[in-house]
Each structure stands twice: as structure tokens, then as C-alpha cells.
Amino acid sequence: MELVFLGTSAGAPTVFRGLPSVALRFDDGSICLLDCGEGTQRQMMRCNVSFMSVERIIISHFHCDHHMGLSGLLQTMNLNNREKSIEIIGPKGTKELVEHVLEPGYFRLGFDIIVYEAGDKDTLDLGKYTIKTIENNHCKNSLSFCIEEPMRRGKFNLQRAKELGIPEGPSYRKLQNGESIVWNGKRIEPDAVLGPQRRGRKICYSGDTAYFEPLSSLAEESDVLIHEATFSEEERSGAETFKHSTATDAAKIAMLAHAKKLFLTHISGRYGAGKELEREARKIFPNTTVAEDFMRYDVRYPE
Amino acid sequence: MELVFLGTSAGAPTVFRGLPSVALRFDDGSICLLDCGEGTQRQMMRCNVSFMSVERIIISHFHCDHHMGLSGLLQTMNLNNREKSIEIIGPKGTKELVEHVLEPGYFRLGFDIIVYEAGDKDTLDLGKYTIKTIENNHCKNSLSFCIEEPMRRGKFNLQRAKELGIPEGPSYRKLQNGESIVWNGKRIEPDAVLGPQRRGRKICYSGDTAYFEPLSSLAEESDVLIHEATFSEEERSGAETFKHSTATDAAKIAMLAHAKKLFLTHISGRYGAGKELEREARKIFPNTTVAEDFMRYDVRYPE
């Protein structure tokens, strides 16, 4: 699973940062977009992330900087003869947003859009992964969410397999794949040679929010927490006025959640490359990186 | 007067071309945008063209690639505390478009938007320049337009001034500025030392259109004709199907109009840098250049 930061600015873009969007590319090549600010389609082209592979778009809330790229992206998919349906998930109001986006009506889509409006503490089991949401503290209908892969099989215990006298080869593969085998007239269940089930990978995305402690439960044990950090601690009053987080707020959530890695995003133009925010957060949560446009991160399976 | 190409792609952006927009910067620093595709605000930032200096935006028609940047641009102006009103000019339907853009309602503008809906063969005298329109051949309510500065004073005839015995100095300046003077008890009108009035500069913009001969009248004697060239002659059937022009079509209009300079824009991704289109057009109209993003062109006064 790979994360690609497509846009890491706050409300207005800068020369170096596009408007908010993150691509989450799964091992099967399919992509889930986290927000879709203006210019997202072109950012994808610029870093070679296939816009045709997007199967799902999650919109965190309805401030324009988080969804103005939807219309152009859908239109370009259409120009490229997309037929496969696409899912758009967002807070209550997402259906209206999508209707609004399509309303100018100067193009007819050759594919379906399936919209799901998520509420507070919602769970969507999509097979490949589960999306869980909470309403956060930014504006009405604003969501944070996590994306979590299902539990996966335990480690294959080679020593145990040998003790059972199973010969190396196809039998091992079957057992690894969760199938039982018959060996020497005896049925062997995969559990006999597999360790306990292991967690899948888990990504948590704050969307826009002021410091919101319940987010640390949603983000519990995340491999990656992507958290907004629109302000530094010095500008806390701005964060409070506009219900955004400081870098310190983000780091506290990462720490409380026992996350493995924190990326700060939604970086205001006033912070340039954002190294000040990174230093601030690292005092609380050392494994912090300020995201940059086109930054990639390989999300490994937890040990 | 300077032209800056902000986006030179056709319906979908590419790595190298943004969606359609051209900035026309006048000598007083104010900017008129010709179309405003998705990402225009960021393209302006990337080439140091002040988005706060935009006083007028002309939208040629309502295909999404030509106006999806409006919302983000207006929002960013707002974030930068704009108070000065902005004018948006476009075909019938522009009021509805602007209402639509503002409808999500998640931001309240601190400045007014003045909308003017232009019809076929409309003339808008804006003082600094006049905008003339014609409905072209692309879709319903699709306009081509020209922007023309008013006539300016004739050249100062130094020899004639000397013959009249007027001494160099403040009197010259007054006469050049169109004021009469009194010299040796005799009233001298500026006409006595100024040549015939001279044309101002003239820019014509095709918007999207199939070959449309009346455009050559609108573009008559243009200093610059910016004409779409979505297809090459080899792909003429595509141009006909989608009511776009080939490079040859654009060159013919430039030739018939006796334009001084032709820029081809709205370049489809299939043509890359568009050199094939440039070669094609130059066979008919040699002074042709395929526009690139961030290309600048100084529009000089005609002799």
C-alpha cells in the first residue's frame, strides 16, 4: 500500500503546494483518494498516479478547497471513456454536492457514481478494507476517518510444519493459503502451522479539525496518521478561531493513538516548507514528517 | 499590454499544459482573464501574475474546462481580504453559472461580483477598452470576442511645431496631451502638431469554435489573434464532430483578418508540444506560435 501526497496546502494553493488530496494506492493498483481539491487530476498526472485507477473518493467536508477538483477529474475520466462506476463517500450532504458538481450538465458521464453518506461513528465494510468515521470539530458535517485492512493470516511456522513431517512444496502453499491438507492419511488444519492472525494496515486521516481527542481512538495503532497542521503553536489563536489544529495538537493525537508515523498536511502558505511545524511536532512525536506534494510513503505491514 | 498564457490544454490538462486561461495585463497593472479553467489561480502564482489584480474575467462558454477555476480563484481572493468588486462577463447563462459557483455557500465573499451577459455582436465600452463579441460555432451560447483599446492621439510632429515657432518645453507636452496653448498671442490647437489618430492595441480570442469565417471580421487587423487549434488537418473529422478548429482553420482566420500574430492554443494532449500544428498553420500564416503555459508576449502599439 502506498500513500502519495497530491496536494498539501491549506485553503489556498501555493507555488509549491496544491490543494488537499492524498492518493492511497492498494496492492491491486486501485486508488482511493482522500479529498479532491482543485487541480487534483493534474497533480496525479504530474506524479504518474493513474486517475483511471481511482475507484473511490472520500470527501472529508464541504469547504471548497477539499472537493473542487471532483468535477474536472470526473470529466477527464469521461473523456478517457471510463465505464467503471466510481464511489464517492462523504458526510451528509455528499449526494447534493455530487448533484451540484454534475448540474452544469455540459457533459454526460458514461459511468455511474455511487454515493454513500457517512454519519458519525459509521463503519463501512468494503471487503478490501473497512472505513470508520467520526464527526470531528471543524464545521458541520466534517469527518475524520480511518481505513483498515482486514485481519490477515498468521505467520507460517516452518519448524512446526517440519515437526508434523509435512514435506516442503505444494502442501506448504495450501496451508499458507488457509486450506487444510491430508498428509499420511491425517487431516491437518492450517491453524496447526499458522501463528495468530495479524492486523492489516491502517491509515487514519484527520480531515480538517481542531484538536479532537476522540480522534486518537479512531487512529489507535495506525501505521500512518495523516493529520492537518494549519497553524503552529505560536498562532494557536488562529487555530482556535478557524477550528484547525496546531502541529502540537496533531502530535498529541499521534502519541495518544500510538501511531507509528505522523504526516502533517494542510500546511498554510505562511510556513513555507513547514520545517518549523515539523520541529514543533517532533518534540512530542518524533516520527513526524511534514508532507510535500508528490511525497510517497510505502505503508508496510505491521510486524 | 502583456499576454501571459496560463493554461493551453484542451478539455483535459496534461503534465505540461493547464486548463484554458490567458491573462491580459494592461499597462496600469490590471488584469483581464480570458477563461478560467481549473487550476488557474495556481498557474498565476507559478508565473508571478497577481491574482489580486484581476478586475475582469471573461468566460467564453460553459464547457467545464473553461470555468472550473472560478470558484477557487474567488475563494482565494476572499482569503486575501479582497474588497474591490470583480466583473465576470460571459454568454447568456453567466449569472446562473456564478450563482452556481457560489451556491455551496461555504464562504461569504467580502466583495461584489458584477455579472454582464453578452449576446451576439455585443459591444461593451469599458473606457480602458472595448469588448466586442460574436456567437461562434461550438455550442449554444459560445462566444468569440475581441478587446480593443480606444483610438489614441496622433504622433507629435516636431518639425511642424518648430515651423510654428513653438519653443521646446512645457508647451510641447501640453499639445501632446491634447491641450491647446497660446503662443505669441495666438491660440494653437493640438491638431496643428499632431498627426492622425492611431489605433490602440487589439486582441482577439476565439474561445472554442469550429472554423467560423465571421470571426475574421471581428479579428480584423488584430495585433494578436489567439485561436483554438484542438486538431490537426489529419484529424479534421474529429474537429467536425466536436466543433473545434484545426490549425489550418485558425491560420485561415488569421490570414483573412490580416492579424499580425497568431497564437494557437487549446492544444490536445495528443500533439505534445504542438510543433506539428505550428508547422501546419505556418504554411498559411507564417507568424504563428503554438502557445505554451507561462509563455509571455508583449503586445506593442501598432505603427
Side-chain angles (χ1 to χ4, degrees):
Chain A
M1 198 198 288
E2 187 186 38
L3 284 177
V4 187
F5 290 91
L6 300 171
T8 58
S9 78
T14 70
V15 171
F16 300 106
R17 296 187 191 274
L19 288 156
S21 187
V22 182
L24 187 51
R25 178 149 53 183
F26 294 92
D27 296 343
D28 63 2
S30 72
I31 288 168
C32 176
L33 284 186
L34 316 181
D35 281 328
C36 186
E38 181 185 355
T40 294
Q41 57 168 329
R42 194 165 177 222
Q43 294 290 90
M44 297 184 83
M45 294 170 186
R46 290 176 74 192
C47 64
N48 210 17
V49 171
S50 162
F51 59 85
M52 291 300 268
S53 299
V54 174
E55 63 174 12
R56 185 167 289 118
I57 303 173
I58 308 180
I59 300 296
S60 62
H61 65 296
F62 303 129
H63 286 162
C64 295
D65 49 321
H66 290 256
H67 62 74
M68 281 302 306
L70 264 181
S71 172
L73 176 60
L74 295 173
Q75 187 179 20
T76 297
M77 287 171 171
N78 204 41
L79 280 171
N80 281 271
N81 303 315
R82 181 177 179 123
E83 292 180 355
K84 206 181 157 199
S85 65
I86 192 164
E87 271 182 43
I88 301 181
I89 295 175
K92 191 168 179 302
T94 301
K95 278 179 190 154
E96 205 182 322
L97 172 75
V98 171
E99 279 164 18
H100 184 266
V101 160
L102 299 175
E103 197 189 305
Y106 294 101
F107 58 104
R108 285 188 200 294
L109 293 185
F111 57 93
D112 291 329
I113 301 182
I114 299 156
V115 178
Y116 181 82
E117 296 190 345
D120 187 25
K121 301 189 182 67
D122 220 334
T123 299
L124 289 80
D125 185 350
L126 300 160
K128 193 157 59 184
Y129 49 86
T130 297
I131 300 176
K132 290 182 182 163
T133 66
I134 50 169
E135 280 187 6
N136 59 31
N137 181 20
H138 180 57
C139 61
K140 202 180 162 196
N141 297 325
S142 177
L143 297 176
S144 302
F145 44 87
C146 74
I147 293 175
E148 192 170 2
E149 291 178 319
M151 297 293 283
R152 60 203 176 99
R153 277 184 207 100
K155 268 191 179 167
F156 187 79
N157 189 331
L158 188 64
Q159 201 185 332
R160 182 79 186 114
K162 283 183 176 168
E163 285 167 11
L164 292 170
I166 310 165
E168 287 186 41
S171 299
Y172 276 24
R173 196 166 34 250
K174 276 194 170 176
L175 288 163
Q176 274 175 321
N177 289 340
E179 299 167 46
S180 57
I181 60 161
V182 176
W183 176 245
N184 276 345
K186 202 175 136 192
R187 188 179 188 85
I188 299 174
E189 296 297 334
D191 282 358
V193 293
L194 296 181
Q197 280 203 320
R198 294 170 293 173
R199 286 205 308 105
R201 290 164 291 191
K202 180 174 175 180
I203 310 292
C204 187
Y205 178 68
S206 70
D208 284 7
T209 185
Y211 180 77
F212 189 60
E213 209 157 288
L215 181 52
S216 66
S217 305
L218 186 78
E220 183 71 26
E221 301 283 343
S222 289
D223 297 288
V224 179
L225 168 61
I226 303 166
H227 201 295
E228 72 121 301
T230 315
F231 291 93
S232 69
E233 212 35 44
E234 258 185 47
E235 305 276 343
R236 167 157 293 284
S237 65
E240 282 168 7
T241 305
F242 299 107
K243 295 201 172 181
H244 280 298
S245 292
T246 66
T248 295
D249 291 337
K252 279 185 188 163
I253 297 294
M255 186 189 59
L256 291 172
H258 307 101
K260 293 205 176 50
K261 171 83 196 165
L262 169 64
F263 281 104
L264 302 179
T265 191
H266 206 266
I267 308 300
S268 160
R270 73 164 70 81
Y271 298 111
K275 291 299 165 191
E276 171 189 348
L277 301 173
E278 198 171 73
R279 276 193 300 274
E280 181 181 311
R282 282 181 178 176
K283 285 181 197 161
I284 294 165
F285 190 83
N287 196 7
T288 301
T289 299
V290 169
E292 292 170 11
D293 284 19
F294 308 135
M295 192 179 258
R296 287 165 187 262
Y297 184 77
D298 185 22
V299 188
R300 303 268 172 89
Y301 280 110
E303 280 309 302
Chain B
M1 196 197 289
E2 187 186 37
L3 285 176
V4 187
F5 290 91
L6 299 172
T8 59
S9 78
T14 70
V15 172
F16 300 106
R17 297 185 190 276
L19 288 156
S21 187
V22 182
L24 188 49
R25 175 148 57 183
F26 294 91
D27 297 343
D28 64 1
S30 72
I31 288 167
C32 176
L33 285 186
L34 316 181
D35 282 328
C36 186
E38 181 186 354
T40 293
Q41 58 167 332
R42 193 162 179 225
Q43 294 291 90
M44 297 183 85
M45 294 170 185
R46 290 176 73 191
C47 66
N48 210 16
V49 170
S50 162
F51 59 86
M52 291 300 270
S53 300
V54 174
E55 64 173 11
R56 185 167 288 117
I57 303 173
I58 309 179
I59 300 295
S60 62
H61 65 297
F62 302 128
H63 286 162
C64 295
D65 49 322
H66 290 257
H67 63 74
M68 281 302 306
L70 264 181
S71 173
L73 177 60
L74 295 172
Q75 186 179 21
T76 297
M77 287 172 170
N78 204 43
L79 281 173
N80 282 270
N81 304 315
R82 182 179 179 122
E83 292 180 354
K84 208 180 156 200
S85 65
I86 192 163
E87 272 181 42
I88 300 181
I89 296 174
K92 189 168 181 301
T94 301
K95 278 179 192 157
E96 204 181 323
L97 172 75
V98 171
E99 279 165 19
H100 184 266
V101 161
L102 299 177
E103 198 188 303
Y106 295 101
F107 59 104
R108 287 190 199 291
L109 293 185
F111 57 93
D112 291 328
I113 301 181
I114 299 155
V115 177
Y116 182 83
E117 295 191 344
D120 188 25
K121 300 189 183 67
D122 219 333
T123 299
L124 288 80
D125 186 349
L126 300 161
K128 192 156 63 183
Y129 50 85
T130 297
I131 300 176
K132 290 182 183 164
T133 66
I134 50 169
E135 279 187 6
N136 60 31
N137 180 20
H138 180 57
C139 62
K140 203 180 163 197
N141 298 325
S142 177
L143 297 176
S144 301
F145 44 87
C146 75
I147 292 175
E148 193 170 1
E149 292 179 317
M151 297 293 283
R152 60 202 175 101
R153 279 185 206 100
K155 267 191 178 164
F156 187 79
N157 187 331
L158 188 64
Q159 201 185 332
R160 182 76 186 116
K162 283 184 174 165
E163 283 167 12
L164 291 169
I166 311 166
E168 288 187 41
S171 301
Y172 275 26
R173 196 163 37 247
K174 277 195 169 176
L175 288 162
Q176 274 176 320
N177 288 341
E179 299 168 44
S180 56
I181 61 160
V182 176
W183 175 246
N184 276 346
K186 206 174 132 192
R187 188 180 188 84
I188 298 174
E189 296 297 335
D191 281 358
V193 294
L194 296 181
Q197 280 202 319
R198 293 170 292 174
R199 285 205 307 103
R201 290 164 290 190
K202 181 174 175 179
I203 310 292
C204 187
Y205 178 68
S206 69
D208 284 7
T209 184
Y211 180 77
F212 188 60
E213 209 158 287
L215 181 52
S216 66
S217 306
L218 185 78
E220 183 71 26
E221 301 282 345
S222 289
D223 297 290
V224 178
L225 169 60
I226 303 165
H227 200 296
E228 72 122 299
T230 315
F231 290 93
S232 69
E233 218 24 53
E234 256 184 50
E235 305 277 343
R236 167 156 293 282
S237 66
E240 283 167 6
T241 306
F242 299 106
K243 295 201 174 182
H244 280 298
S245 291
T246 66
T248 295
D249 291 336
K252 278 184 188 165
I253 297 295
M255 185 189 61
L256 291 171
H258 306 101
K260 292 203 176 52
K261 172 83 195 166
L262 170 63
F263 281 103
L264 303 179
T265 190
H266 206 265
I267 308 301
S268 160
R270 71 165 72 80
Y271 299 111
K275 291 300 167 191
E276 170 189 349
L277 301 172
E278 197 171 73
R279 278 193 299 275
E280 181 181 310
R282 283 181 176 175
K283 286 181 194 158
I284 293 165
F285 190 83
N287 196 8
T288 300
T289 300
V290 169
E292 292 169 12
D293 283 20
F294 309 135
M295 190 180 261
R296 287 165 187 262
Y297 184 77
D298 184 23
V299 188
R300 303 269 172 89
Y301 280 111
E303 280 309 302

